[in-house]
């Protein structure tokens, strides 16, 4: 295969055509076909080359959903809470989607299986869509995929999207960045408020939840968190409330829903144009660098890499010199980036 870009890329049109099968899927998606939604999510999850074209096409339909992030230590009761929230939001007539991110265990882990079992009731409800996303082998791709899957769920017409992660790593934290309102769940065991501080969850919390409030020590955790909120440097007027819940017993959930509502209202009343603009610019840079990264990776894999790659591979050119040479050569860049935008699925 030629290392040069096909001629057409020089005149590439502003809208990217997609293959007819994908075109059909997008149409089915627009007609609220849940199978089409599932297929598109799978393409995005697998980082298919047409991912960015899919999101480009559905982008104008996004921006309506309320995105709620829920994070905290393993076993804190996050899924049980999500389950309760689904019921509350369904009672309000809202369409709900859940994206459960499983950080470690694709098949064997109890988390996903447990979620499935407890969430089974909702599977019959066509206004509830539940999907889990495995972080296995996705490297930096997980937060990218999560961002785009949230866009799909939003465009599909869900009013509320809940993202569940176990708050452990940078990836999970960056996924929480997608949420309008982030709930940090703690439990009265093993000094969990300290864990929350250490894990960097403190800074991202819009609402603290002390779940398993039936257990001893719940009041102490609540007091610690409240003190901590009080001692926060005054950067924002929003003071995260601390809500006590017993997810298994369906206790405290109404209070939680109302705290989420208040935060939503706060956001609506405090729209900061410059911050929004900055967020959009940052999102654009992230999308751009992610796309460059993915295209360069694909070019390398399917043999469309520019000549310089061979030189680097043979150790004849140092990678920094190669990078500078490549960036100074528009034809080589075009060759590298002229990824196909469709694939078999
Ligand atoms: N005592 C008590 N147990 C609870 C409460 N809420 C949830 N649990 C139990 O805690 C266990 C873990 O609940 P999950 O909802 O799976 O917790 P999770 O945070 O989603 O767990 P991972 O996704 O594995 O991190 C289950 O056995 C629940 O029944 C509660 O309010 N009180
Ligand atoms: Mg869970």
């Amino acid at each position: 295969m030629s290392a040069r870009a096909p001629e057409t890329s020089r005149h590439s049109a502003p809208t990217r055509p997609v293959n007819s099968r994908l075109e059909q899927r997008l149409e089915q998606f627009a007609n609220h076909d849940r199978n089409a939604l599932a297929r598109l999510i799978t393409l995005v999850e697998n980082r298919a080359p047409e991912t960015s074209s899919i999101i480009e096409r559905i982008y104008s339909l996004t921006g309506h959903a309320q995105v709620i992030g829920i994070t905290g230590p393993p076993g804190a009761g996050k899924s049980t809470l999500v389950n309760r929230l689904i019921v509350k939001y369904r009672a309000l007539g809202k369409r709900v989607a859940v994206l459960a991110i499983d950080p470690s265990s694709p098949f064997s882990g109890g988390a996903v299986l447990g979620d499935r079992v407890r969430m089974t009731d909702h599977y019959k409800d066509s206004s509830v869509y539940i999907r889990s996303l495995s972080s296995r082998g996705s490297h930096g791709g997980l937060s990218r995929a999560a961002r785009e899957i949230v866009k799909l769920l939003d465009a599909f017409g869900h009013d509320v999207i809940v993202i569940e992660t176990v708050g452990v790593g940078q990836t999970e934290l960056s996924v929480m960045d997608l949420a309008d309102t982030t709930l940090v769940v703690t439990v009265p065991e093993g000094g969990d408020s300290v864990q929350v501080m250490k894990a960097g969850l403190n800074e991202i919390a819009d609402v603290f939840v002390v779940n398993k409030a039936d257990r001893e020590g719940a009041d102490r955790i609540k007091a610690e968190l409240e003190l901590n909120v009080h001692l926060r440097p005054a950067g924002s007027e929003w003071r995260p409330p601390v809500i006590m819940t017993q997810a298994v017993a369906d206790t405290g959930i109404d209070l939680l829903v109302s705290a989420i509502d208040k935060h939503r209202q706060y956001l609506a009343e405090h729209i900061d144009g410059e911050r929004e603009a900055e967020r959009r610019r940052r999102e654009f840079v992230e999308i751009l660098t992610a796309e460059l990264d993915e295209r360069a990776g694909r070019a390398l894999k399917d043999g469309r890499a520019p000549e310089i790659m061979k030189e680097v591979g043979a150790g004849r050119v140092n990678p920094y010199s190669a990078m500078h040479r490549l960036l100074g050569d528009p034809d080589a860049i075009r060759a590298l980036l002229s990824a196909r935008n469709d694939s078999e699925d």
Side-chain angles (χ1 to χ4, degrees):
M1 195 176 272
S2 161
R4 281 287 146 99
E7 277 304 305
T8 50
S9 76
R10 199 165 296 168
H11 312 284
S12 62
T15 52
R16 271 133 298 273
V18 295
N19 71 36
S20 57
R21 194 172 21 176
L22 185 54
E23 197 63 63
Q24 195 187 351
R25 292 252 157 82
L26 286 163
E27 212 168 284
Q28 291 162 340
F29 176 90
N31 290 324
H32 300 285
D33 177 338
R34 283 157 65 98
N35 289 328
L37 171 63
R39 292 276 171 78
L40 293 179
I41 290 178
T42 300
L43 287 173
V44 169
E45 182 179 10
N46 296 335
R47 308 312 300 155
E50 53 273 74
T51 297
S52 53
S53 300
I54 293 171
I55 307 303
E56 179 184 27
R57 286 285 293 272
I58 57 109
Y59 203 91
S60 64
L61 301 171
T62 65
H64 303 288
Q66 175 181 14
V67 184
I68 301 170
I70 180 161
T71 188
K78 300 179 294 295
S79 299
T80 317
L81 279 166
V82 170
N83 208 18
R84 297 297 184 194
L85 289 174
I86 292 173
V87 175
K88 297 289 177 198
Y89 286 120
R90 283 303 298 134
L92 295 169
K94 294 181 190 278
R95 282 159 297 182
V96 186
V98 177
L99 182 61
I101 297 179
D102 161 33
S104 55
S105 42
F107 302 113
S108 59
V112 170
L113 199 64
D115 292 347
R116 285 266 159 79
V117 172
R118 278 190 292 281
M119 290 180 178
T120 311
D121 293 351
H122 305 298
Y123 273 104
K124 288 171 230 132
D125 183 346
S126 68
S127 295
V128 177
Y129 187 86
I130 298 169
R131 175 85 178 214
S132 59
L133 181 59
S134 168
S135 63
R136 163 184 44 118
S138 61
H139 304 291
L142 179 71
S143 42
R144 253 178 260 163
R147 176 202 298 283
E148 288 156 358
I149 292 170
V150 166
K151 293 241 187 304
L152 282 170
L153 294 170
D154 183 353
F156 196 73
H158 292 101
D159 303 300
V160 175
I161 300 169
V162 185
I163 315 172
E164 179 188 331
T165 70
V166 176
V168 285
Q170 202 47 53
T171 304
E172 287 74 24
L173 285 181
S174 73
V175 166
M176 282 298 116
D177 214 29
L178 304 173
D180 302 314
T181 300
T182 298
L183 316 181
V184 169
V185 183
T186 59
V187 283
E189 286 151 6
D192 251 319
S193 74
V194 178
Q195 294 289 7
V196 164
M197 315 291 156
K198 274 199 195 140
L201 295 177
N202 186 35
E203 293 82 42
I204 64 165
D206 298 308
V207 176
F208 285 107
V209 181
V210 179
N211 189 43
K212 307 196 186 182
D214 49 310
R215 299 219 170 139
E216 206 180 308
D219 289 328
R220 189 179 46 80
I221 292 269
K222 183 175 196 275
E224 279 174 20
L225 289 170
E226 275 168 350
L227 178 65
N228 185 66
V229 167
H230 189 69
L231 296 176
R232 265 191 183 192
S236 143
E237 287 165 44
W238 177 257
R239 295 272 152 180
V242 182
I243 310 291
M244 304 267 254
T245 59
Q246 294 177 44
V248 275
D250 203 12
T251 302
I253 312 300
D254 285 325
L255 279 175
L256 179 56
V257 168
S258 106
I260 295 168
D261 270 1
K262 281 199 193 107
H263 185 250
R264 187 186 201 198
Q265 212 175 325
Y266 169 85
L267 291 178
E269 287 163 5
H270 292 79
I271 292 171
D272 177 340
E274 186 39 46
R275 210 176 49 200
E276 263 304 291
E278 175 55 29
R279 192 194 56 74
R280 287 201 198 101
R281 288 192 290 263
R282 211 167 28 138
E283 179 179 16
F284 170 58
V285 172
E286 277 170 32
I287 289 166
L288 181 64
T289 50
E291 185 72 18
L292 294 175
D293 182 36
E294 288 177 9
R295 285 193 185 202
R298 281 200 295 272
L300 184 59
K301 227 162 95 187
D302 67 16
R304 279 180 301 100
E307 276 303 310
I308 190 84
M309 196 67 91
K310 283 196 196 119
E311 303 281 302
V312 172
R316 285 193 288 273
V317 181
N318 99 44
Y320 289 84
S321 308
M323 186 256 300
H324 282 122
R325 240 155 80 186
L326 182 75
L327 292 181
D329 179 351
D331 284 338
I333 291 180
R334 204 174 289 127
L336 186 70
L337 300 182
S338 68
R340 288 174 311 142
N341 68 353
D342 65 33
S343 68
E344 303 306 313
D345 72 42

